Amino acid sequence: MFAVNVEGAVVKGGKWLVIERGAEEEHAGGTLSFVGGTVEQEGFSQDILERTVKREIFEEVGIEIKEKLHFVYSSSFLTAEGIPVINVVFLCEYAQGTPYRKSEDEVEAVYWMATEEIAGHPQSPPWTIESARRADQMLKQLQAGQL
């Protein structure tokens, strides 16, 4: 069985909403990432991944995103405890609110960063850089009407 994690690549004005994860976080504490979290068991449910992204973004940084989300890609990894995880990244458009450390245990800092800034930041793990590059590519395709 896999745990399922979702992340929102929230874009506003050509920059991505990125958090520095709390140092005490079990997975990748102190690194940069998109906002997200684990999908909770709800029984029979529709659009659970999309609702989870919206909920996690609001719970962690206090902003709302627009209704339409775009699937970017999925990947898998093992946690330090050996738990297999599927990670799903969605492209999300900012709607309203000012991001802040709403969940202070999970979020150390909040930034708006361009893809190049994420790629060059010493606290960016390879998977966050990959997610930013893929989200950026999808955003450009959407803006060009190619998707």
Side-chain angles (χ1 to χ4, degrees):
M1 261 321 180
F2 282 92
V4 179
N5 188 70
V6 292
E7 294 182 68
V10 180
V11 65
K12 177 184 174 191
K15 295 203 173 193
W16 303 105
L17 179 64
V18 179
I19 62 168
E20 179 183 332
R21 295 173 56 82
E24 301 303 315
E25 283 290 288
E26 287 181 36
H27 175 70
T31 64
L32 297 184
S33 75
F34 288 132
V35 180
T38 305
V39 177
E40 297 172 359
Q41 176 62 266
E42 296 181 358
F44 181 76
S45 183
Q46 300 292 321
D47 302 318
I48 190 169
L49 299 179
E50 294 84 349
R51 283 186 297 100
T52 299
V53 167
K54 291 174 186 179
R55 183 193 76 236
E56 289 288 338
I57 290 170
F58 186 74
E59 286 177 359
E60 291 186 19
V61 295
I63 67 163
E64 295 179 22
I65 58 174
K66 293 188 178 177
E67 192 63 29
K68 179 110 174 114
L69 305 180
H70 301 276
F71 172 81
V72 176
Y73 83 115
S74 61
S75 60
S76 64
F77 63 91
L78 288 174
T79 66
E81 295 80 26
I83 299 169
V85 177
I86 292 176
N87 191 60
V88 181
V89 178
F90 288 95
L91 175 60
C92 311
E93 191 175 353
Y94 166 86
Q96 63 182 12
T98 301
Y100 67 101
R101 293 178 56 213
K102 186 173 179 181
S103 177
E104 294 182 2
D105 292 340
E106 297 177 279
V107 179
E108 185 64 32
V110 178
Y111 307 103
W112 288 104
M113 301 174 84
T115 302
E116 301 77 32
E117 292 174 290
I118 295 168
H121 198 284
Q123 289 173 271
S124 291
W127 56 86
T128 299
I129 295 168
E130 179 69 15
S131 294
R133 287 183 175 151
R134 286 185 183 230
D136 192 56
Q137 181 181 25
M138 173 168 274
L139 178 63
K140 287 175 181 170
Q141 290 175 322
L142 286 167
Q143 291 170 337
Q146 297 172 346
L147 293 178

